[in-house]
Amino acid sequence: MNNKKLNIWLPLLLSITIIIGMFFGYKMRDAMPGKKFFSIQKNTSLQEVIDLLNSRYVDKIDNKSIIDTAIDAILTKLDPHTIHIPVSELQQVNEDIQGSFVGIGIEYNILYDSLNVAQVVTNGPSEKAGLKIGDIILKAGDSIISGKQISAERIRAILRGPEKSSINLTISRNNKQQVFEVKRGSITVPSVDAYYMLDATTGYIKINKFTSQTYKEFMNGLLTLKKLKMQSLILDLRDNGGGVLEEAVEIADELLEGDKLITYTEGMHNPKKEFRCRRQGQFETGKVIVLADEGSASASEVLMGALQDWDRALIVGRRSFGKGLVQEQYDLSDRSALRLTVARYFTPLGRSIQRSYKNGSKSYYEDITKRFVQDGKFKADSVNNDTSKIYKTRAGKKLYGSGGILPDYFIAMDTNMVGTVTRNLSIKGTLENFGYKYFKLNGSELIKYKTAAQFANDFSFSDNDWKYFASLADKDSIPLNNIATKERIFITTSLKSAIARQLYKSEGYYEVMNKEDEGIKKALEVLRSKL
């Protein structure tokens, strides 16, 4: 009898238990943001508009295009550094961060509608296959690489491919055609352009950006210079737009002692995170000068901000860019990505050097130009101190935030040195092309210069060399008749540097350019008198 009653009531008890469980389950869900008990989540108005366009619009809708436009419109309401990265650009963006790509390992110039090998990466795939500077690539596989339709995008698409895949290159060398099989491989793009001794005790390191390889490259340069008895370091961060924050932190750790704070980040959804020194650095006591300008941004400003706040280095040059925002990159379902600002970074003293962007991205980026151009005329960059909040270092130095890091020693841009002619020569590639052509014509004579330092000291640019360059400039519709003396000197130095780059790559370029560089001269002067 009791078993019969249990059989009757058991289903009812189970049903009541399930209902109670569902009730409390929905109650718990109800406490979550955006969820309500027994409700169906509604579409946003944006999704409703897209649905209506798909179901009611007079013509067929390109959903991808509309969504991309909507995303871009949304992001314009945020900061200038939160961006949507399309699928077509994502690979190159990621390669910039990684500091490497898969390819054949050459640099090239496009001259007379032909692809000319300007540099061959040391120990890279092309060098191993036998390619040389001066080779002209006619075909890659079955694809012809010449003619007016040639473009950097097309060349990249043809020459790059999966690692260890092979491609046959038909090249012209000394007017004879040859075929080389090149096996693609990983190519490192250096972020450290040069390191060498400026004099018996002063080392120089140039960093062009911060990739995942930068700290490793920096340490290679630093340790090499220490073996050469370096006592003072000039760290060149001019035109370094930043990159991987952690790499800048690691470099700061090599220059600061103890467990000093390097930077900290903080955002609405990101709690405060401190980055501190964690080990004994390799250059904690030597003298340091940092070269900066309006192109020095983000991770560069983290590094120089830490060194300035701790009285570890003096900054020479011009006001930095003023980017104090931290981005993280998120992959989206359509294989594009969102680079989202998630926090602000602050220097050890608590300075935020981010410039205002309240007037939109266009005004934000135009601010850099306005530092040097007013009413169509060039001017020296102004040094505007934001005195609303003043910070003091342990040594008593006054520092300011909001708008970039101000140099300790200001060097105005010499507007008489870089004029319209120089800008046109740069835009059309005439300067760079000259170095390549000169090397092809005079390579046998240039081999007597065994090092970049010897070339920088001993090579003289002759009047005949200038006449040859003037003929090339004339072909590019750039007359050189009425340029000022200062600009001609700068162009001549640039031409000599272009030749040095062909001989000794980027280190040769900087060894020549730095001979007449006002920032280098001022840094050396400061080292000898102030530190």
Side-chain angles (χ1 to χ4, degrees):
M1 185 71 175
N2 288 336
N3 287 336
K4 288 183 178 180
K5 288 182 178 180
L6 183 61
N7 289 337
I8 293 171
W9 287 101
L10 187 57
L12 181 59
L13 288 171
L14 288 173
S15 299
I16 292 171
T17 302
I18 292 170
I19 291 170
I20 292 172
M22 290 175 63
F23 176 79
F24 282 107
Y26 279 114
K27 276 290 187 183
M28 291 175 66
R29 193 189 76 165
D30 197 33
M32 296 174 65
K35 301 292 184 182
K36 292 184 179 179
F37 180 55
F38 286 133
S39 69
I40 298 174
Q41 188 178 10
K42 292 182 178 179
N43 287 333
T44 64
S45 55
L46 176 60
Q47 186 60 54
E48 289 175 341
V49 169
I50 293 173
D51 290 343
L52 284 169
L53 289 173
N54 281 318
S55 62
R56 300 294 183 183
Y57 189 64
V58 64
D59 293 320
K60 185 177 180 180
I61 296 299
D62 182 349
N63 270 341
K64 180 68 172 62
S65 175
I66 287 176
I67 291 172
D68 285 349
T69 302
I71 291 172
D72 291 339
I74 291 168
L75 299 187
T76 61
K77 301 297 182 181
L78 306 178
D79 68 276
H81 301 289
T82 291
I83 58 171
H84 178 231
I85 306 170
V87 177
S88 59
E89 299 175 15
L90 185 57
Q91 181 179 350
Q92 187 168 349
V93 169
N94 289 339
E95 288 171 351
D96 287 341
I97 295 172
Q98 295 162 2
S100 65
F101 66 92
V102 176
I104 66 169
I106 64 166
E107 294 181 25
Y108 60 84
N109 290 332
I110 299 175
L111 297 173
Y112 312 119
D113 301 327
S114 296
L115 185 67
N116 293 252
V117 178
Q119 290 287 348
V120 182
V121 175
T122 304
N123 295 322
S126 289
E127 183 182 76
K128 291 176 180 178
L131 267 68
K132 296 180 179 180
I133 296 173
D135 288 344
I136 299 174
I137 300 179
L138 305 174
K139 291 176 64 179
D142 295 326
S143 301
I144 296 174
I145 306 184
S146 63
K148 293 183 178 180
Q149 300 303 315
I150 193 171
S151 67
E153 291 76 15
R154 184 167 179 267
I155 292 168
R156 187 182 298 112
I158 293 172
L159 296 184
R160 295 191 183 183
E163 191 165 8
K164 296 184 179 180
S165 62
S166 295
I167 186 169
N168 290 324
L169 301 180
T170 303
I171 67 103
S172 174
R173 180 186 296 171
N174 300 324
N175 295 318
K176 294 181 180 179
Q177 289 191 18
Q178 302 180 51
V179 178
F180 293 84
E181 182 183 4
V182 182
K183 185 176 289 186
R184 297 180 179 95
S186 179
I187 309 299
T188 298
V189 181
S191 57
V192 172
D193 280 330
Y195 57 86
Y196 66 96
M197 295 295 290
L198 285 163
D199 57 31
T201 60
T202 309
Y204 171 87
I205 299 179
K206 167 68 176 177
I207 305 177
N208 64 62
K209 59 184 173 183
F210 290 91
T211 73
S212 59
Q213 302 296 317
T214 301
Y215 172 65
K216 179 180 177 181
E217 294 176 34
F218 171 82
M219 287 304 295
N220 182 50
L222 184 71
L223 295 176
T224 300
L225 296 179
K226 283 185 67 178
K227 290 178 181 177
L228 297 174
K229 311 300 182 185
M230 176 179 68
Q231 298 175 21
S232 303
L233 171 65
I234 296 177
L235 181 60
D236 193 344
L237 298 181
R238 290 175 295 185
D239 290 318
N240 183 322
V244 182
L245 173 67
E246 287 76 11
E247 297 292 298
V249 168
E250 292 295 325
I251 292 173
D253 198 349
E254 298 296 337
L255 305 176
L256 293 169
E257 62 182 1
D259 66 344
K260 285 184 168 64
L261 178 66
I262 296 170
T263 187
Y264 66 91
T265 61
E266 198 168 17
M268 179 174 288
H269 304 291
N270 284 269
K272 183 177 180 180
K273 180 180 179 181
E274 292 187 344
F275 296 83
R276 290 184 169 275
C277 295
R278 298 177 289 106
R279 60 179 176 274
Q280 183 174 352
Q282 289 293 323
F283 200 69
E284 291 183 351
T285 57
K287 301 171 184 177
V288 180
I289 294 283
V290 179
L291 297 178
D293 63 10
E294 57 286 344
S296 308
S298 193
S300 293
E301 293 169 302
V302 167
L303 177 53
M304 71 177 75
L307 299 178
Q308 191 180 50
D309 280 17
W310 287 113
D311 297 305
R312 178 68 184 92
L314 293 173
I315 314 298
V316 172
R318 292 189 291 277
R319 181 161 42 124
S320 66
F321 183 88
K323 178 181 180 289
L325 301 174
V326 181
Q327 286 74 45
E328 288 183 358
Q329 190 165 303
Y330 297 91
D331 294 331
L332 302 179
S333 58
D334 66 348
R335 294 185 296 114
S336 65
L338 179 66
R339 183 168 289 178
L340 182 67
T341 296
V342 297
R344 296 178 183 273
Y345 75 75
F346 300 84
T347 71
L349 290 177
R351 292 189 289 161
S352 170
I353 52 82
Q354 176 62 47
R355 285 186 291 120
S356 172
Y357 47 83
K358 64 181 181 181
N359 294 324
S361 294
K362 187 173 184 290
S363 175
Y364 177 76
Y365 287 109
E366 284 179 348
D367 173 69
I368 298 295
T369 303
K370 289 177 181 177
R371 294 185 190 184
F372 307 105
V373 180
Q374 189 171 15
D375 299 325
K377 297 181 179 179
F378 282 98
K379 63 171 185 174
D381 179 21
S382 58
V383 182
N384 298 319
N385 296 333
D386 179 4
T387 57
S388 60
K389 194 167 185 180
I390 299 174
Y391 305 79
K392 282 190 177 181
T393 69
R394 287 183 177 180
K397 183 195 300 182
K398 290 182 180 180
L399 300 176
Y400 310 89
S402 301
I405 290 176
L406 296 174
D408 298 291
Y409 293 90
F410 177 71
I411 300 177
M413 181 182 287
D414 190 342
T415 56
N416 294 317
M417 185 172 66
V418 182
T420 303
V421 171
T422 302
R423 289 194 298 278
N424 288 338
L425 291 170
S426 179
I427 291 169
K428 293 197 173 184
T430 314
L431 291 171
E432 184 178 356
N433 291 341
F434 170 82
Y436 172 72
K437 292 177 179 178
Y438 190 94
F439 175 80
K440 287 196 70 174
L441 288 171
N442 303 283
S444 59
E445 298 176 18
L446 294 171
I447 58 174
K448 65 182 179 182
Y449 302 104
K450 302 302 181 184
T451 65
Q454 184 185 2
F455 178 85
N457 291 326
D458 298 342
F459 177 82
S460 296
F461 199 78
S462 68
D463 288 338
N464 285 334
D465 293 335
W466 179 264
K467 289 176 182 177
Y468 172 56
F469 172 67
S471 68
L472 297 178
D474 189 59
K475 290 179 181 177
D476 286 336
S477 302
I478 306 173
L480 304 178
N481 302 327
N482 299 315
I483 58 174
T485 301
K486 265 194 172 184
E487 187 167 12
R488 175 163 174 161
I489 292 172
F490 177 77
I491 292 172
T492 301
T493 303
S494 299
L495 294 172
K496 184 176 175 180
S497 297
I499 301 169
R501 189 176 189 281
Q502 290 296 145
L503 291 167
Y504 314 104
K505 301 185 178 179
S506 59
E507 185 168 310
Y509 173 87
Y510 283 101
E511 286 219 32
V512 173
M513 286 300 291
N514 287 345
K515 286 285 186 181
E516 302 299 326
D517 187 276
E518 293 302 318
I520 297 290
K521 290 178 181 179
K522 185 64 178 179
L524 289 171
E525 177 190 323
V526 171
L527 282 172
R528 291 162 185 160
S529 63
K530 298 293 182 181
L531 284 177

